[in-house]
Amino acid sequence: QQQVKQSPQSLIVQKGGISIINCAYENTAFDYFPWYQQFPGKGPALLIAIRPDVSEKKEGRFTISFNKSAKQFSLHIMDSQPGDSATYFCAASIDNTDKLIFGTGTRLQVFP
Amino acid sequence: NAGVTQTPKFQVLKTGQSMTLQCAQDMNHEYMSWYRQDPGMGLRLIHYSVGAGITDQGEVPNGYNVSRSTTEDFPLRLLSAAPSQTSVYFCASSSSTGPYGYTFGSGTRLTVV
């Protein structure tokens, strides 16, 4: 049973556009929702994270939107750049250091 | 500060062989985890540990063994390698007191033939 569902599997965006990746979760005990960015040949790196007590968190061009009632959260990348081309993973855990369950990933390609 | 170090980076095994993937962190993190990454399946948790001497199973523990004798090291043992264990393996660590978020190693690419 997949606890964190991520879509789309791949995304192509033009430079300057907005990239949107969506995730849905099932376990209402989850209370920590990070996003990770992974470049080819590298390990994932923490990008931004949110807790369910806020509906939005912004760091630079990256924003997480969180909808607790719908059990959904999404990553928005504003003014997407070719350097943002990577695979993005959403994840969830019951606390910030408990078992971290990942989505299946979204491969983002940003074309100039 | 090296962070999370995984060795080896690449390994080819024959079916039935055993091996140990090494993971070490120098950040004094209490929490450590092993993941495997397969195309289209994301990162799946194999085993994790909340401190020295304490380990627990993740989503896909079968065929793997772990132990945590020190805070720094968290080796993953493949008992009898199978082609289904061909994957990229990542070790990660996190602090319980912050800054939060797992730090990942650069991975071990394992092929079982």
Side-chain angles (χ1 to χ4, degrees):
Chain A
Q1 182 184 11
Q2 189 179 354
Q3 295 194 56
V4 180
K5 295 183 179 180
Q6 184 172 347
S7 63
Q9 189 173 3
S10 63
L11 183 61
I12 299 174
V13 173
Q14 202 157 15
K15 179 182 175 181
I18 302 173
S19 304
I20 302 174
I21 304 170
N22 301 300
C23 283
Y25 62 97
E26 299 170 0
N27 189 344
T28 55
F30 286 148
D31 66 355
Y32 176 69
F33 302 90
W35 285 88
Y36 282 79
Q37 179 188 56
Q38 184 182 31
F39 293 104
K42 303 292 186 183
L46 179 65
L47 188 62
I48 186 172
I50 197 169
R51 291 194 176 273
D53 53 343
V54 297
S55 60
E56 186 175 282
K57 182 174 181 180
K58 183 177 181 180
E59 291 185 1
R61 296 184 294 109
F62 301 91
T63 299
I64 300 179
S65 297
F66 187 84
N67 186 329
K68 188 174 181 178
S69 61
K71 293 188 288 185
Q72 295 175 346
F73 58 110
S74 60
L75 176 69
H76 291 64
I77 306 174
M78 312 299 289
D79 188 25
S80 298
Q81 299 296 312
D84 297 330
S85 297
T87 299
Y88 292 82
F89 293 95
C90 62
S93 69
I94 294 178
D95 67 44
N96 55 278
T97 51
D98 196 11
K99 291 184 290 185
L100 196 56
I101 306 300
F102 282 84
T104 51
T106 296
R107 185 185 176 201
L108 171 65
Q109 295 174 276
V110 182
F111 286 96
Chain B
N1 191 341
V4 178
T5 302
Q6 290 184 239
T7 56
K9 293 190 182 302
F10 301 94
Q11 183 71 48
V12 179
L13 284 181
K14 293 183 178 178
T15 297
Q17 287 185 318
S18 63
M19 80 160 293
T20 299
L21 307 185
Q22 301 291 344
C23 175
Q25 53 93 6
D26 61 358
M27 298 171 285
N28 202 32
H29 284 171
E30 299 89 344
Y31 296 85
M32 296 187 75
S33 297
W34 275 103
Y35 289 87
R36 60 176 289 173
Q37 183 174 18
D38 303 289
M41 303 197 73
L43 293 128
R44 292 182 292 169
L45 182 64
I46 304 171
H47 286 286
Y48 73 106
S49 170
V50 298
I54 306 171
T55 64
D56 202 354
Q57 295 182 349
E59 304 168 80
V60 288
N62 293 338
Y64 306 95
N65 215 353
V66 292
S67 60
R68 184 114 178 255
S69 56
T70 67
T71 299
E72 294 78 20
D73 300 300
F74 191 42
L76 178 72
R77 297 182 187 85
L78 279 70
L79 309 174
S80 177
S84 61
Q85 293 179 304
T86 294
S87 186
V88 181
Y89 292 84
F90 288 100
C91 178
S93 72
S94 179
S95 169
S96 65
T97 58
Y100 302 121
Y102 272 92
T103 299
F104 280 77
S106 57
T108 295
R109 183 174 293 274
L110 175 68
T111 302
V112 183
V113 297

